[in-house]
Amino acid sequence: MSGSYSAEQERIASLEARVNSLERQLKRQKIARKNAESFLESYSQDAYLANQALRKSLSDSKKRERELLYLNRTAAELTKSQSSKGFIHSALSSAVEFSGAYCGKALIVKDKKIVVGDDDSILMGKGEWQSNTDITALFLETLPLHLEESYEHWCISVAERPDTKQEARVLHFMHEVTKGEFAWLALLTNDDSLDEEMLFVLDTTKHYINFNSRYQSKKSLLNHQQDELSSIKKDRDTLEARLVSADKMAMLGQLAAGIAHEINNPIGYVRSNTVVAKEIFNDYQHALEDIGRLCNEAGGELKDKFHECEKGYSLKESAAEIKEMFDESLEGIERIIEIVKALRSFSYPGSGKHVKLSAIESMNSAMKLTNNLHRYKNQVSLLAEHGDVTFMGNAGQIQQVLVNFLTNAIYATPEGKHIYLKVEKRGDKALLIVEDEGIGMSDDVLQKVFTPFFTTKPPGDGTGLGMSISMTIVEEHNGEIDIQSEESKGTQITLILPLV
């Protein structure tokens, strides 16, 4: 009995010890659980706060991105060449997109009249233009269009949206673009809440509009000044070229005058002696004919002797040849005299009386004088569809100019090609045109065509004075020479003279 009691006591003690152990384990687990719950709560709170901070940072980043995009887009508009209308619409588009406004409208007021935006068009938040009479009326009622002093910042007015009947805000801004010209921007918000930072960024609009107006003004002034400088440079280059040409022509004139003077005297002697020698030869020829007639009348040995001498010395043939030589010599002398006259007229272009001349007659004379050059080579046609025109000029000098033009055309035109002489009238000017189907001229040749002694002809075929002399004559007649030429297609040279 005693042993059974002891065993029971031991079992009870073991159970109590086990219970105590389990209680201690449960207590430790409760403490661990409590600690875990506390840690989990703290971690969850930290995670929530971190998530909120992340959301805020992301929102701020997106906001900064929109601000940067707005500023970048607005700044990019400054590099574009736009009118006031184009720039104010670009500024409106950027402002509507950045602010998230329901819609916007741009106006330009000049001399107290709306010159841009006087219709019902508004720019929606999605970037689309729509026609809305009610919202346009709301903008016009809200904006103080009578003001003529630029805003420092965007202004805010309370308004009721006509579509939702809810309270909203109208943001408006005005800047004086030029004297008496004012640009207006107006935005209608989706609700009555506003972001102060957004308004601060929108304030940059005034700087861009102001900068653009000054930029466009300066650019216009700069372009105008550049055009003036370009015109002045062109005039200066032309004047320099004319001065160089005038200097060359002056020296050439002095040279020509000296040559003409030196040649004129001896050629006068040669001409006079040749004419006298021809007359004396004619007298000898007549005397020989009389002697022959007397010998024939005497007959007999005298007649035979005369005919023997006549045949032996080839008197008839020699006489004909000498006569031909005299004619050719005189023709050459006359040609030299004409050249001397041309040199003198080049040196003193003002000499000679001006009379009323016919353009058709002047053209016909040039055709006749060059007939031996073009007769078997080119077909030359005279066209005067609207009849004849008249002008004042020296007949010989005008003829010299036209002959020079026509001679050059014949030289440059291949055989079988056509040359046209045209008479036209343009306003108060007479136009005498020589147009060929020749080889044309390069730009380099065109620039040198009036340069003294410049010629494209082979040595011996041209002196290079023809066009220089022609220019001198034409300027003395208050006229102009216009040359249009294209290589391989031909040349058109026009003599322009005042009508009578």
Side-chain angles (χ1 to χ4, degrees):
M1 184 80 178
S2 173
S4 298
Y5 178 77
S6 297
E8 183 65 24
Q9 286 294 109
E10 290 178 0
R11 189 175 68 81
I12 292 171
S14 176
L15 289 172
E16 287 178 351
R18 180 71 180 270
V19 168
N20 290 333
S21 176
L22 290 173
E23 285 178 348
R24 287 194 297 272
Q25 290 181 10
L26 181 61
K27 185 177 181 179
R28 287 196 298 271
Q29 288 177 356
K30 285 182 178 180
I31 293 172
R33 180 179 177 184
K34 185 177 182 180
N35 290 336
E37 287 176 350
S38 176
F39 175 77
L40 182 60
E41 183 179 356
S42 176
Y43 179 79
S44 298
Q45 182 68 23
D46 291 343
Y48 173 77
L49 293 175
N51 185 51
Q52 290 297 102
L54 183 61
R55 286 176 179 273
K56 187 176 185 305
S57 296
L58 184 60
S59 176
D60 290 344
S61 295
K62 288 183 177 180
K63 188 175 181 180
R64 295 291 180 270
E65 181 184 13
R66 287 196 303 117
E67 292 174 357
L68 290 172
L69 287 173
Y70 168 72
L71 294 173
N72 182 63
R73 177 179 174 181
T74 310
E77 298 296 329
L78 297 175
T79 62
K80 299 179 181 178
S81 178
Q82 300 185 84
S83 61
S84 297
K85 177 181 178 181
F87 186 79
I88 200 70
H89 279 169
S90 297
L92 175 66
S93 178
S94 298
V96 169
E97 181 181 348
F98 169 69
S99 65
Y102 173 69
C103 66
K105 189 169 182 65
L107 302 168
I108 293 181
V109 178
K110 188 173 184 179
D111 299 329
K112 299 183 179 180
K113 293 182 180 179
I114 299 176
V115 294
V116 174
D118 56 345
D119 53 13
D120 295 330
S121 297
I122 59 174
L123 181 64
M124 304 303 295
K126 295 180 180 180
E128 300 174 352
W129 286 92
Q130 293 184 5
S131 179
N132 192 309
T133 305
D134 293 336
I135 292 182
T136 297
L138 172 64
F139 281 134
L140 295 178
E141 291 172 2
T142 305
L143 300 179
L145 298 179
H146 61 280
L147 292 181
E148 295 186 352
E149 185 174 349
S150 297
Y151 286 13
E152 288 294 327
H153 305 283
W154 283 75
C155 292
I156 305 170
S157 300
V158 179
E160 180 181 288
R161 281 181 52 172
D163 52 345
T164 63
K165 304 303 181 182
Q166 299 293 320
E167 186 176 279
R169 300 287 186 268
V170 174
L171 282 68
H172 47 94
F173 177 79
M174 186 270 280
H175 182 78
E176 185 175 11
V177 180
T178 58
K179 185 67 176 177
E181 183 178 6
F182 305 92
W184 287 84
L185 292 178
L187 307 175
L188 179 62
T189 63
N190 283 304
D191 48 44
D192 61 350
S193 63
L194 289 173
D195 186 335
E196 194 171 321
E197 187 174 352
M198 178 195 71
L199 291 175
F200 177 77
V201 176
L202 278 176
D203 271 344
T204 60
T205 306
K206 66 176 182 290
H207 301 297
Y208 290 114
I209 294 178
N210 182 46
F211 184 87
N212 180 70
S213 61
R214 288 187 286 112
Y215 170 75
Q216 295 297 337
S217 176
K218 295 293 184 182
K219 184 177 180 181
S220 177
L221 178 61
L222 181 61
N223 288 338
H224 179 67
Q225 291 175 340
Q226 285 178 336
D227 290 340
E228 287 186 345
L229 287 173
S230 178
S231 178
I232 291 172
K233 184 178 183 301
K234 185 177 180 181
D235 291 342
R236 186 197 67 188
D237 292 343
T238 302
L239 181 59
E240 287 180 353
R242 287 189 176 183
L243 287 173
V244 171
S245 178
D247 187 51
K248 289 181 179 179
M249 296 298 279
M251 291 187 294
L252 183 60
Q254 295 175 359
L255 177 63
I259 293 173
H261 178 72
E262 292 299 324
I263 294 177
N264 198 47
N265 289 333
I267 202 65
Y269 302 147
V270 174
R271 181 188 187 189
S272 176
N273 290 339
T274 303
V275 171
V276 172
K278 182 180 179 182
E279 292 176 355
I280 292 173
F281 174 75
N282 288 337
D283 291 340
Y284 274 101
Q285 184 65 21
H286 292 150
L288 184 61
E289 290 175 356
D290 290 341
I291 292 171
R293 186 174 59 258
L294 291 173
C295 290
N296 287 331
E297 290 176 356
E301 185 179 353
L302 186 59
K303 178 182 177 181
D304 295 337
K305 191 66 176 177
F306 176 78
H307 285 293
E308 183 181 345
C309 289
E310 188 179 42
K311 290 179 181 179
Y313 293 105
S314 302
L315 295 180
K316 288 184 178 181
E317 292 79 3
S318 298
E321 291 176 0
I322 293 173
K323 184 178 182 303
E324 185 177 350
M325 284 188 283
F326 272 121
D327 291 338
E328 290 177 353
S329 296
L330 284 172
E331 184 179 347
I333 291 170
E334 293 298 331
R335 176 61 181 154
I336 294 173
I337 291 173
E338 288 299 319
I339 293 173
V340 171
K341 284 182 179 178
L343 287 173
R344 290 174 64 83
S345 66
F346 176 62
S347 305
Y348 310 104
S351 59
K353 184 180 178 181
H354 286 201
V355 297
K356 190 174 181 180
L357 299 176
S358 160
I360 290 179
E361 289 180 4
S362 299
M363 287 291 206
N364 278 323
S365 296
M367 288 174 64
K368 291 176 183 177
L369 288 170
T370 57
N371 184 59
N372 63 317
L373 297 178
H374 63 73
R375 180 168 47 186
Y376 302 112
K377 183 174 181 283
N378 307 109
Q379 183 179 352
V380 180
S381 303
L382 176 58
L383 306 175
E385 296 180 3
H386 303 289
D388 198 6
V389 293
T390 55
F391 54 90
M392 297 298 292
N394 179 284
Q397 291 178 343
I398 294 298
Q399 187 181 90
Q400 182 180 353
V401 172
L402 293 174
V403 166
N404 182 58
F405 291 173
L406 188 49
T407 300
N408 288 342
I410 294 168
Y411 177 82
T413 305
E415 185 175 349
K417 295 289 186 177
H418 214 117
I419 298 174
Y420 298 95
L421 305 184
K422 300 178 182 179
V423 174
E424 297 179 4
K425 177 182 176 182
R426 184 191 299 159
D428 60 348
K429 303 291 184 182
L431 275 59
L432 284 70
I433 304 169
V434 178
E435 184 178 327
D436 64 60
E437 298 177 344
I439 59 176
M441 289 183 279
S442 65
D443 292 338
D444 183 57
V445 172
L446 273 174
Q447 292 176 1
K448 300 177 182 177
V449 71
F450 294 111
T451 303
F453 300 113
F454 174 77
T455 180
T456 58
K457 298 176 182 177
D461 286 354
T463 63
L465 290 174
M467 292 302 292
S468 300
I469 294 174
S470 296
M471 176 59 79
T472 304
I473 293 172
V474 172
E475 287 179 346
E476 178 62 27
H477 283 72
N478 297 318
E480 302 174 46
I481 297 176
D482 177 68
I483 302 178
Q484 303 293 328
S485 186
E486 188 174 351
E487 289 186 280
S488 303
K489 291 191 176 180
T491 299
Q492 176 181 289
I493 182 165
T494 304
L495 172 58
I496 306 171
L497 295 167
L499 289 170
V500 175

